[in-house]
Amino acid sequence: MRSPRHLLLLAASSLALLGGAALPAVALTAPAAVAAQDATPSQPWAQTASDIPADSNVRFGTLSNGMRYAILKNATPPGQASLRLRIAAGSLMENEDQLGLAHFMEHMAFNGTTNVPENELLRILERLGLAFGADTNAFTSFDQTAYTLELPRTNDETVDTSLRIMREQVSEALMKAEDIDAERGVIEGEERLRNTPGLRSLKAQIALLAPGQRLSNRLPIGDLSIIRSAPRERFVEFYEAYYRPERATMIAVGDFDVDQMEAKIRATFSDWKPKAADGPNPDLGTVAPRAPETRILVEPGVQSSIQLNWVRNPDLDPDTVAERRDSLLQNLGLAVLNRRLGEIARADNPPFIQASAGSGSLFKSVDIGSISAAFNPGGLTRALETIDQEQRRLIQFGVTQVELDREIANNRTALENAVQAAATRSTPGLANGILGAANDDLVFSAPATNLALFEAAVKDLKAAQVDAAVKTVFEGQGPLALVVTPEAIEGGEAGVTAALQTSRAVPVTARAVQAELEWPYADFGAAATPASQTEIAAVGATVVTFPNGVRLTVKPTAFKDEQILISVRTGIGEKALPTDRFTSQMLAPMVFTQGGLGKLTADELSRVLTGKIYSTGFAIDGDAYQLSGATRPADLQLQMQVLAAYLTDPGLRPAPFEQIKTFFPQILAQQLATPGGAFGIQAAGLLASGDKRETVPAASDIAAFTLDELKQGVTQGMASGPIDIVMVGDVKLEQAVAAVASTFAALPTRAPAAQPLPGSDQRRFPAPTAQPVRLTHTGPAEQALGYIAWPTTDAVDDRTEARKVSILSEVFKLRVLDEIREKQALAYSPRVGSSASDVYKGYGSIFVMAETAADKIPAFYAAVDAITASLRDTPITEDELNRARLPTIESLRRSQAGNEYWLGQLDDLAAKPESVEQIQSHISDLESFTVADIQAAARQYLKADTAWKAEVVSDKAPAQ
């Protein structure tokens, strides 16, 4: 169970169809047939103007009405498919009286069509096993609107129904005036939810980079005054002008027959014809001549940052071999610069938290080269000077051949791995890749083509050629400096400009040559011989034990070629930590891997392992310390050496520890700026009855942490207890055994696991609250959040009851979405969920929360009370149970076709062989629950006298 505190720390560290069931009474009949007309697509496939061949496995086509389609057979995961229907129109196409209607129109496409009444569209898909949000969704951007479906199966009924619904959405939306009025509150709730410091920073950035251009006044969320008042005619005008076949692209990827899918697409969409004249493509404007300029945005709760930008008119040339080569050379130079910036950020007393350089295009309006840094308050001058001088150092002295060869090697490895894994690419990933290529006018090329183009471009490539290419990134109008800060900058914009001018007058020198390195962790002792080997055929795994206490669980799979996932667990994790005080180990997940190894810094580790595929993650779970990695068969031995080195000789250097201590106050301030973030910080410990292991510490607590305490705690915590290793993926048993035998199994015999501290093997849900606990955030006064949770059960041993609660939560979610989002429009994205601890007995909950307007919190609580009462007092329908259960089951089946699922399921198999029964019974448990079971669970758990409530309101809101 991931706690809000764990999610906060993670953020900080990373700067189906029921057999026999009848379809609903609604008939999905096709619109009246019309004569097909010849039309050309508004955006031909990119390969028609390119010398780059498109992936030959994709069938590209165009219907007579101008609609494009791309179809690709792919069986990862098996029996499933991804559909994407793109409309080449977004907020850039809006007139001044339509601001926000492209996005609003996306909502209306779900709210009733000619043949599907309001609210029935989602229910039809739910009966087929598609969950709203996860499997049924859409998005609107500046230049496109896309509708997405993830099909749990590819039988005729599921595919035909899904295609027909998508056709209805893009050609038959009714947009009844009363339905538009009902949806206005939902859109307003979405605007309120998205009105964050980050969005306000984005607005400032676009205003600086593209003033006077259409882009600067076309954020998809739009204008609230128009959203609240636009008449139906404005929607119809946009829909008929831009929702038309020649602007549409259908993408289908999955485990199906391509000929049959093509026939279905043709049958569904060929008779679609426009109802009005084509909407014009807007004038995006041109980049005006600009002198160097500085802007400052003071935005409480935002991360302090400085960005230097150079802007120029967009490069609209077709995607060709020459264009890709130019881009590759630029990116290789930028990769060198970014590596240098990363090394600076990880040094002692760094001038910034992180920094990066890049080049890109904003929606065909402006091309940008930039270098930016995030820093702690008070650190603007050092950050500005460093990124300015590193950028000039690159331009003046270029990259070294050693640096270039390192980036070439890493790129080559990634491209080679993509070729080797091409047969098992993920279906959703491929669908999104084709969608992105279609939107960006790029050729969707095969991995083998990408590798061949790369090899041709880097053959005999010299540093001087990259130097010339990367210089163009920083040419154009500028630099345009943008400072985003939570507090005023002394001297204002003039002071920033002066600091930049002073820095640019400082001469730079060439970078020092780095020393050659050797990998020092290849020998952990004599390879061990396994003591036992047990096959567990029920889950396709084998458990191997070694004399020193290492237990290895291996599950070879064919889910994804060239992927091996690894988990290493030892110790007792949080059970060794006190419940009544904070410890420095709270920062360990953020500094452990960043500290590198005893003999190599993190940067030296990266350099010495150039061209290898490996990774390292670290976490402190409820009952174990966990290392994790991902690699390929060729690098498995190295990956195990890396993980064993982190276990036995972690670096735990001062620089990352001090950096996170300094940075943490900003993390807290950023989270407190929104209701959701403030709830995560302030409620995490409250929901664990004050357990300090779950509580987010204050900045003063963090300041008192010491590295010595962290080192002692982590090294002692990982020094005893069995080592459990799980390996899942493209691996043979004998290969896995050999890699472990020479690393972890070669270590000295492990001491028995430590005993939990008194009380640390327990966690309690808080006592019920008569009135909501009031928490505060620092954002706008109109933003608020309501939360209610009820205690349930755990998943330590028998998981059946927890699974029943999960289905209750899915039924609850259907009711909440229907009542709180659709009928009352109290919140755009209310959430319902459940959790059950697999460590602490009796600890679990079911909750509902919503970010809403401050004056709507009482209505939110009243709505939740009414819903829970109905769940307790009245049996749900069989249809409702299936609409909740089937998407859950299909999501589980999809997960079971991936290595990630099995890595988590098998982590305690060696220690608890009986858990295999719980793994096997998951789907059958879900299928066995009845309407009566769900009502009984609601009566047992959703009781008013056990509920814990909280509300989060702005500290700017008037006291009540």
Side-chain angles (χ1 to χ4, degrees):
M1 181 168 59
R2 298 301 295 275
S3 72
R5 180 179 67 84
H6 285 147
L7 297 177
L8 170 67
L9 298 183
L10 179 63
S13 67
S14 62
L15 242 238
L17 174 70
L18 182 65
L23 278 175
V26 178
L28 287 176
T29 54
V34 296
Q37 59 182 19
D38 291 334
T40 57
S42 59
Q43 189 178 5
W45 291 112
Q47 56 265 30
T48 62
S50 175
D51 52 358
I52 300 172
D55 190 330
S56 61
N57 292 311
V58 182
R59 181 174 296 179
F60 296 93
T62 305
L63 302 180
S64 60
N65 59 10
M67 176 177 166
R68 302 186 304 176
Y69 60 84
I71 308 170
L72 173 61
K73 180 176 178 59
N74 190 69
T76 306
Q80 300 175 26
S82 296
L83 303 183
R84 306 287 185 266
L85 182 50
R86 173 183 179 268
I87 300 295
S91 58
L92 286 171
M93 283 69 179
E94 296 165 345
N95 294 327
E96 291 300 321
D97 59 357
Q98 293 176 323
L99 300 183
L101 297 198
H103 168 248
F104 202 149
M105 185 59 250
E106 169 214 312
H107 282 242
M108 296 312 301
F110 289 89
N111 279 352
T113 67
T114 302
N115 297 291
V116 184
E118 182 186 7
N119 297 327
E120 195 60 30
L121 186 151
L122 293 176
R123 293 175 181 174
I124 293 170
L125 294 172
E126 286 164 353
R127 294 178 186 117
L128 295 173
L130 283 77
F132 176 58
D135 305 319
T136 305
N137 217 324
F139 67 84
T140 303
S141 182
F142 289 89
D143 54 358
Q144 69 171 331
T145 305
Y147 297 85
T148 68
L149 292 178
E150 300 296 340
L151 309 190
R153 52 177 57 86
T154 54
N155 60 0
D156 287 343
E157 186 167 16
T158 302
V159 173
D160 292 348
T161 302
S162 299
L163 289 174
R164 179 56 57 192
I165 280 178
M166 296 184 108
R167 165 66 192 273
E168 288 273 328
Q169 289 180 298
V170 297
S171 70
E172 300 295 321
L174 293 177
M175 295 171 287
K176 294 179 181 177
E178 59 268 29
D179 293 340
I180 291 173
D181 289 340
E183 194 71 13
R184 294 187 200 274
V186 176
I187 303 292
E188 192 170 346
E190 184 174 1
E191 190 278 340
R192 183 172 55 245
L193 179 68
R194 301 196 188 286
N195 184 17
T196 63
L199 179 64
R200 296 190 285 275
S201 299
L202 175 64
K203 290 180 179 179
Q205 182 183 18
I206 294 176
L208 173 64
L209 299 177
Q213 292 185 251
R214 196 176 186 90
L215 182 70
S216 64
N217 187 36
R218 286 298 188 279
L219 262 73
I221 196 63
D223 184 322
L224 270 182
S225 63
I226 292 175
I227 289 167
R228 290 169 177 152
S229 62
R232 178 178 183 273
E233 304 90 80
R234 297 291 87 76
F235 291 83
V236 174
E237 288 169 3
F238 186 88
Y239 186 65
E240 293 187 349
Y242 292 103
Y243 277 62
R244 49 198 308 113
E246 64 269 33
R247 287 184 174 270
T249 302
M250 184 73 218
I251 297 164
V253 181
D255 193 5
F256 47 64
D257 180 271
V258 171
D259 290 338
Q260 292 179 6
M261 179 60 75
E262 182 178 36
K264 290 178 182 294
I265 291 172
R266 287 185 172 276
T268 304
F269 291 96
S270 288
D271 60 357
W272 177 18
K273 70 175 183 178
K275 299 177 181 177
D278 189 7
N281 286 320
D283 180 358
L284 301 180
T286 58
V287 175
R290 307 285 295 278
E293 183 178 348
T294 299
R295 298 269 184 91
I296 295 176
L297 171 67
V298 179
E299 180 65 55
V302 78
Q303 167 65 55
S304 300
S305 66
I306 169 68
Q307 185 181 90
L308 303 178
N309 304 280
W310 291 261
V311 298
R312 56 193 180 276
N313 281 312
D315 177 3
L316 301 179
D317 292 340
D319 181 20
T320 62
V321 171
E323 285 282 315
R324 288 203 187 181
R325 184 182 186 279
D326 290 345
S327 178
L328 172 62
L329 268 57
Q330 285 186 351
N331 289 334
L332 288 170
L334 290 171
V336 170
L337 178 55
N338 282 321
R339 187 179 293 274
R340 293 177 180 179
L341 293 170
E343 291 175 356
I344 294 171
R346 288 181 288 272
D348 292 336
N349 189 27
F352 41 66
I353 298 165
Q354 63 179 20
S356 64
S359 176
S361 179
L362 281 183
F363 304 101
K364 301 180 181 178
S365 298
V366 55
D367 281 1
I368 307 162
S370 68
I371 185 167
S372 60
F375 56 89
N376 287 315
L380 171 60
T381 300
R382 285 186 69 207
L384 175 58
E385 290 173 346
T386 306
I387 61 173
D388 163 62
Q389 291 167 29
E390 284 302 314
Q391 182 262 339
R392 289 192 292 115
R393 193 188 322 279
L394 181 80
I395 298 304
Q396 185 171 341
F397 296 101
V399 305
T400 68
Q401 193 66 40
V402 171
E403 289 177 305
L404 174 58
D405 290 344
R406 181 184 306 143
E407 303 307 334
I408 289 174
N410 286 330
N411 275 269
R412 176 179 288 117
T413 298
L415 290 167
E416 289 174 342
N417 203 58
V419 171
Q420 294 165 347
T424 52
R425 290 174 290 176
S426 100
T427 286
L430 284 165
N432 291 336
I434 298 173
L435 176 64
N439 190 61
D440 295 335
D441 289 330
L442 300 176
V443 178
F444 184 78
S445 46
T449 299
N450 299 336
L451 177 60
L453 293 175
F454 172 83
E455 293 293 7
V458 301
K459 181 177 172 55
D460 299 325
L461 184 64
K462 301 303 180 185
Q465 296 168 276
V466 171
D467 295 343
V470 78
K471 284 180 181 179
T472 63
V473 171
F474 304 106
E475 293 174 351
Q477 311 294 325
L480 308 177
L482 175 64
V483 178
V484 180
T485 171
E487 56 189 36
I489 298 294
E490 184 177 356
E493 292 173 350
V496 175
T497 300
L500 178 58
Q501 290 173 342
T502 299
S503 176
R504 293 180 76 82
V506 174
V508 294
T509 57
R511 183 176 171 86
V513 176
Q514 294 174 320
E516 292 290 329
L517 297 168
E518 297 290 337
W519 175 238
Y521 294 99
D523 186 3
F524 292 89
T529 301
S532 67
Q533 180 171 310
T534 305
E535 183 181 4
I536 304 179
V539 290
T542 301
V543 175
V544 181
T545 63
F546 292 89
N548 69 341
V550 170
R551 299 180 293 215
L552 168 65
T553 301
V554 184
K555 180 178 173 62
T557 73
F559 301 139
K560 187 172 181 61
D561 293 341
E562 296 295 304
Q563 183 192 66
I564 304 172
L565 303 183
I566 300 153
S567 168
V568 180
R569 294 166 60 86
T570 192
I572 60 172
E574 285 187 344
K575 287 184 177 181
L577 303 181
T579 63
D580 58 351
R581 64 179 178 86
F582 297 116
T583 74
S584 301
Q585 286 196 62
M586 178 170 290
L587 299 186
M590 290 175 276
V591 304
F592 187 88
T593 58
Q594 289 87 333
L597 298 168
K599 300 175 183 177
L600 295 170
T601 67
D603 292 304
E604 289 170 339
L605 177 63
S606 175
R607 281 163 45 202
V608 76
L609 299 183
T610 293
K612 305 296 184 181
I613 292 182
Y614 70 98
S615 66
T616 309
F618 177 79
I620 304 178
D621 292 342
D623 57 354
Y625 291 83
Q626 177 171 300
L627 290 162
S628 57
T631 187
R632 58 179 177 174
D635 291 326
L636 177 59
Q637 183 69 37
L638 172 66
Q639 174 71 77
M640 299 312 294
Q641 291 173 358
V642 171
L643 294 176
Y646 268 106
L647 177 70
T648 58
D649 190 28
L652 293 173
R653 288 178 169 80
F657 180 76
E658 294 301 327
Q659 186 178 29
I660 197 62
K661 284 180 64 177
T662 306
F663 179 38
F664 211 89
Q666 280 206 86
I667 300 173
L668 297 178
Q670 292 162 33
Q671 295 296 311
L672 287 170
T674 64
F679 178 81
I681 284 182
Q682 298 172 72
L686 297 176
L687 285 166
S689 296
D691 189 331
K692 295 296 186 183
R693 298 171 298 176
E694 287 297 289
T695 304
V696 177
S700 57
D701 298 309
I702 294 290
F705 288 170
T706 68
L707 182 59
D708 286 341
E709 182 194 23
L710 187 152
K711 282 183 177 179
Q712 181 180 11
V714 171
T715 54
Q716 286 184 355
M718 296 197 305
S720 63
I723 297 175
D724 282 296
I725 302 172
V726 180
M727 201 176 293
V728 178
D730 187 7
V731 61
K732 294 180 172 60
L733 175 61
E734 56 271 23
Q735 182 188 19
V737 170
V740 171
S742 61
T743 52
F744 289 92
L747 300 176
T749 300
R750 303 281 292 181
Q755 292 301 307
L757 292 178
S760 292
D761 57 351
Q762 301 172 20
R763 185 160 289 160
R764 301 186 314 280
F765 190 81
T769 54
Q771 296 296 324
V773 175
R774 173 160 285 212
L775 309 172
T776 60
H777 67 88
T778 60
E782 66 271 15
Q783 294 180 344
L785 179 148
Y787 180 93
I788 314 177
W790 299 261
T792 56
T793 188
D794 63 79
V796 175
D797 295 316
D798 187 350
R799 307 170 196 172
T800 306
E801 186 69 12
R803 290 166 179 170
K804 186 187 303 178
V805 173
S806 74
I807 296 301
L808 169 61
S809 77
E810 293 300 318
V811 174
F812 198 175
K813 184 186 300 181
L814 295 180
R815 297 279 182 98
V816 164
L817 288 171
D818 184 58
E819 184 65 31
I820 292 177
R821 174 183 159 119
E822 298 300 331
K823 291 182 179 177
Q824 297 192 41
L826 297 176
Y828 164 68
S829 183
R831 292 177 52 204
V832 181
S834 66
S835 62
S837 175
D838 58 2
V839 175
Y840 304 105
K841 290 204 170 189
Y843 189 64
S845 66
I846 186 170
F847 74 88
V848 56
M849 67 184 295
E851 294 195 40
T852 185
D855 60 356
K856 292 182 178 179
I857 286 184
F860 164 75
Y861 286 130
V864 173
D865 287 344
I867 293 170
T868 54
S870 69
L871 289 171
R872 293 191 304 264
D873 300 341
T874 306
I876 65 173
T877 67
E878 194 72 29
D879 177 67
E880 193 172 16
L881 174 58
N882 285 330
R883 289 192 292 112
R885 171 169 52 195
L886 289 177
T888 302
I889 292 173
E890 296 304 338
S891 176
L892 177 57
R893 285 199 174 111
R894 186 180 303 130
S895 296
Q896 289 177 338
N899 293 324
E900 293 81 0
Y901 170 86
W902 289 104
L903 189 73
Q905 290 293 310
L906 300 177
D907 62 9
D908 62 352
L909 182 64
K912 297 170 61 177
E914 65 276 11
S915 66
V916 69
E917 297 178 7
Q918 295 293 307
I919 298 172
Q920 289 181 287
S921 66
H922 199 163
I923 289 179
S924 61
D925 280 349
L926 300 180
E927 292 174 334
S928 71
F929 301 141
T930 65
V931 165
D933 290 332
I934 301 306
Q935 185 179 17
R939 288 174 172 171
Q940 179 177 354
Y941 298 116
L942 299 180
K943 296 185 292 189
D945 60 358
T946 65
W948 186 87
K949 297 182 180 180
E951 61 184 24
V952 186
V953 297
S954 173
D955 59 6
K956 303 174 182 62
Q960 294 184 353

